[in-house]
């Protein structure tokens, strides 16, 4: 590793320093859905409403026709909806229920706008089909079998476990990079809330490179 965990402090970054995985978490969400497809609990072309009857978009046709695979492809027609979760005062369910009030930006499957909120819808499909919250599925079905012992599915889990050797968040303010309070992605965890280390991420990448096999 290079550098220090927090500017102005002496503690060095090493292979066991925890960092937010951010949107690379989405690959774990996609794998979780694929595992449930393999086990017959989900089909790629299931209507999303089969698993989440309460979920709605503004257009009833899109609500009816949206498929599970669409949640992972950034092509639902919904524009950037990040303000729903970045503001930090809405629960996950509130965020997803407010999507029904947003105008669609393009016809379904005709274009591409990067989506965090729809990945959280995929996380809710994982929870509904597996009977466990997304974060527990990721921890028990992916991280533990891969031996990712210093990885957690959310910032809340990192803090609850009181992990040491954790990187601090930094941001450039008035031209100066400073350590800041961590801004959690936990309201939409399936889109980017996981934390890991270089050591554990190596286990994850090796699993992907080995055709989804452990060791």
């Amino acid at each position: 590793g290079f550098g220090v965990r927090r500017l102005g402090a002496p503690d060095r970054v090493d292979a066991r320093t925890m960092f937010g995985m951010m949107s690379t978490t989405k690959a774990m969400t996609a794998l979780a859905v694929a595992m449930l497809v393999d086990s017959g609990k989900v089909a790629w072309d299931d209507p999303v409403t089969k698993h989440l009857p309460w979920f709605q978009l503004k257009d009833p046709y899109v609500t009816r026709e949206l498929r599970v695979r669409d949640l992972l492809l950034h092509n639902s027609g919904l524009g950037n909806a990040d303000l729903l979760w970045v503001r930090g005062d809405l629960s996950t369910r509130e965020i997803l229920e407010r999507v029904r009030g947003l105008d669609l930006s393009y016809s379904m499957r005709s274009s591409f706008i990067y989506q965090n909120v729809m990945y959280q819808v995929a996380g809710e499909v994982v929870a509904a089909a597996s009977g466990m919250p997304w974060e527990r599925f990721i921890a028990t079905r992916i991280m533990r079998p891969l031996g990712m012992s210093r990885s957690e599915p959310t910032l809340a889990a990192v803090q609850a476990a009181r992990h040491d050797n954790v990187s601090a968040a930094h941001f450039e303010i008035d031209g100066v990079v400073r350590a800041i309070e961590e801004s959690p992605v936990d309201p939409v965890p399936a889109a980017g809330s996981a934390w890991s280390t270089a050591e554990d991420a190596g286990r994850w990448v090796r699993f992907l490179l080995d055709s989804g096999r452990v060791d």
Side-chain angles (χ1 to χ4, degrees):
F2 297 88
V4 293
R5 301 175 214 163
R6 173 183 292 266
L7 282 176
D11 298 319
R12 305 288 299 181
V13 168
D14 60 29
R16 292 173 60 80
T17 302
M18 298 183 79
F19 287 88
M21 292 181 71
M22 310 312 295
S23 281
T24 62
T25 302
K26 289 180 173 69
M28 291 189 171
T29 298
L31 175 62
V33 175
M35 292 167 77
L36 292 167
V37 170
D38 279 354
S39 65
K41 294 181 178 179
V42 175
W44 290 116
D45 288 317
D46 279 347
V48 173
T49 52
K50 175 181 177 179
H51 302 280
L52 307 175
W54 51 268
F55 181 71
Q56 296 179 34
L57 291 159
K58 196 165 188 178
D59 185 324
Y61 171 81
V62 179
T63 299
R64 186 173 66 250
E65 295 299 321
L66 191 70
R67 307 295 165 171
V68 168
R69 71 170 71 239
D70 294 320
L71 301 175
L72 308 177
L73 297 175
H74 306 286
N75 68 357
S76 65
L78 186 67
N80 188 303
D82 284 347
L83 187 58
L84 285 173
W85 65 270
V86 170
R87 49 190 280 169
D89 63 342
L90 298 176
S91 69
T92 300
R93 182 63 179 252
E94 288 174 323
I95 291 166
L96 299 186
E97 287 183 344
R98 290 192 182 203
V99 168
R100 72 185 65 172
L102 302 179
D103 291 330
L104 297 181
S105 297
Y106 58 92
S107 300
M108 181 170 60
R109 306 188 190 109
S110 70
S111 188
F112 171 102
I113 292 180
Y114 189 85
Q115 265 299 330
N116 286 304
V117 170
M118 297 304 272
Y119 256 79
Q120 183 54 39
V121 179
E124 297 302 311
V125 170
V126 170
S130 69
M132 68 178 79
W134 173 90
E135 47 265 51
R136 196 188 329 154
F137 190 101
I138 297 302
T140 60
R141 297 289 306 277
I142 297 177
M143 290 178 172
R144 287 182 196 167
L146 292 179
M148 297 174 70
S149 59
R150 282 187 52 78
S151 298
E152 300 285 358
T154 62
L155 175 63
V158 173
Q159 294 169 337
R162 298 182 180 276
H163 284 288
D164 59 356
N165 197 356
V166 179
S167 64
H170 293 77
F171 199 77
E172 185 176 323
I173 302 171
D174 295 330
V176 179
V177 176
R178 312 167 191 259
I180 60 169
E181 186 176 334
E182 192 64 58
S183 180
V185 189
D186 290 10
V188 286
S193 71
W195 283 68
S196 192
T197 68
E199 200 173 70
D200 278 5
R203 294 184 173 93
W204 165 238
V205 171
R206 185 171 63 190
F207 163 76
L208 295 177
L209 291 174
D210 197 23
S211 304
R213 296 174 295 187
V214 180
D215 295 326

